[in-house]
Amino acid sequence: CALPISAIALEALVRGEIARAAYTRLCASIWIQTYVRGFVARVRFGALRTVAVRAQTRARGRRARRLYHEALRATVVLETWVRHQLWRLLFGRLRTAALLAQRHVRGAAARREAARRRKRRDAATAIQRCVRGRSRNVWFRGARAAATCLEALARGWFGRGRATRLRAAIAIEAAGRRSMVRTWYRGTKRATVCVQRRERGVQARRRYAEAKGA
């Protein structure tokens, strides 16, 4: 009975050793698998992290470039708008200044032209006055000389009565006066027409120059 018990114990001991060795190998293989899987997982995680970081970097770069281009376009649009507003403001100021300068220049030119026209009108009036005065003086002198001559001629007539001679002298004097008056009127009219024609020519040239300048 002792021999079978020892065989059983030995078999149990061997089986225990074999089981412990198998368990040890199993634990070692499990540990090795765990280590390898952890290493593979760490490698994959590192690779995935690197890929993710690169992808994030690229995405952030694209986003940053897109935001930069959008900001650049917005800046260009804003700068263009600001320049446009500044040019409009500057153009408005320059236009206002030009209009004021033109108005001042035109006002000064109009005042000078009005002064020249007044001077020409005054000169024309003075010329007409002088012409009329001279014509009247000439007519009066001529009439007086004609009257004196006619009176002397009337007094020297022979064989006629005083009344007849006087009537003839008066008629002749009236005819001479009418002739002198017509001569004076024609001369005055020609002078007036010349002055008016010159004044109208000056005004027409001024209006043409203003129309051409506008």
Side-chain angles (χ1 to χ4, degrees):
C1 293
L3 184 60
I5 294 172
S6 300
I8 292 170
L10 182 61
E11 186 179 359
L13 180 63
V14 171
R15 287 180 179 177
E17 289 295 331
I18 293 170
R20 282 193 293 276
Y23 178 74
T24 302
R25 288 194 298 273
L26 179 63
C27 290
S29 64
I30 291 172
W31 182 83
I32 291 170
Q33 288 179 359
T34 303
Y35 178 78
V36 170
R37 287 175 183 176
F39 178 76
V40 171
R42 286 193 296 275
V43 171
R44 288 181 179 178
F45 176 75
L48 290 175
R49 183 179 181 182
T50 303
V51 173
V53 169
R54 289 180 181 177
Q56 289 179 356
T57 303
R58 290 180 181 178
R60 289 174 181 174
R62 292 195 199 95
R63 184 179 179 183
R65 286 190 294 272
R66 181 172 56 83
L67 293 176
Y68 171 75
H69 289 301
E70 291 179 357
L72 182 62
R73 285 194 295 270
T75 304
V76 171
V77 171
L78 180 61
E79 186 178 0
T80 304
W81 183 79
V82 170
R83 287 181 180 178
H84 181 67
Q85 294 297 325
L86 290 175
W87 277 112
R88 287 183 61 184
L89 180 62
L90 181 61
F91 176 75
R93 291 181 178 177
L94 290 176
R95 183 179 180 184
T96 303
L99 290 175
L100 291 175
Q102 289 180 357
R103 187 180 302 169
H104 178 71
V105 171
R106 289 177 180 175
R111 288 191 293 271
R112 288 195 299 270
E113 183 64 24
R116 285 196 296 268
R117 282 187 292 177
R118 284 195 299 270
K119 289 181 180 179
R120 286 196 296 268
R121 187 174 60 250
D122 295 339
T125 303
I127 291 171
Q128 289 179 357
R129 190 182 298 115
C130 293
V131 170
R132 288 175 182 176
R134 186 175 180 84
S135 299
R136 288 178 182 176
N137 292 329
V138 171
W139 173 79
F140 179 74
R141 291 175 184 176
R144 187 173 60 183
T148 302
C149 292
L150 290 174
E151 187 177 1
L153 182 62
R155 288 179 181 178
W157 284 348
F158 299 100
R160 294 188 178 180
R162 184 176 181 83
T164 304
R165 290 196 298 270
L166 287 176
R167 284 196 296 272
I170 291 171
I172 294 171
E173 185 177 1
R177 287 180 180 178
R178 285 194 298 272
S179 177
M180 291 180 182
V181 167
R182 283 195 297 270
T183 303
W184 170 80
Y185 175 74
R186 291 173 182 173
T188 304
K189 185 178 180 181
R190 283 195 297 271
T192 305
V193 168
C194 290
V195 173
Q196 290 178 353
R197 186 180 302 167
R198 181 177 179 82
E199 180 65 20
R200 288 174 183 173
V202 172
Q203 292 180 0
R205 286 191 294 273
R206 180 179 60 80
R207 287 194 296 270
Y208 174 74
E210 290 178 356
K212 186 176 180 181

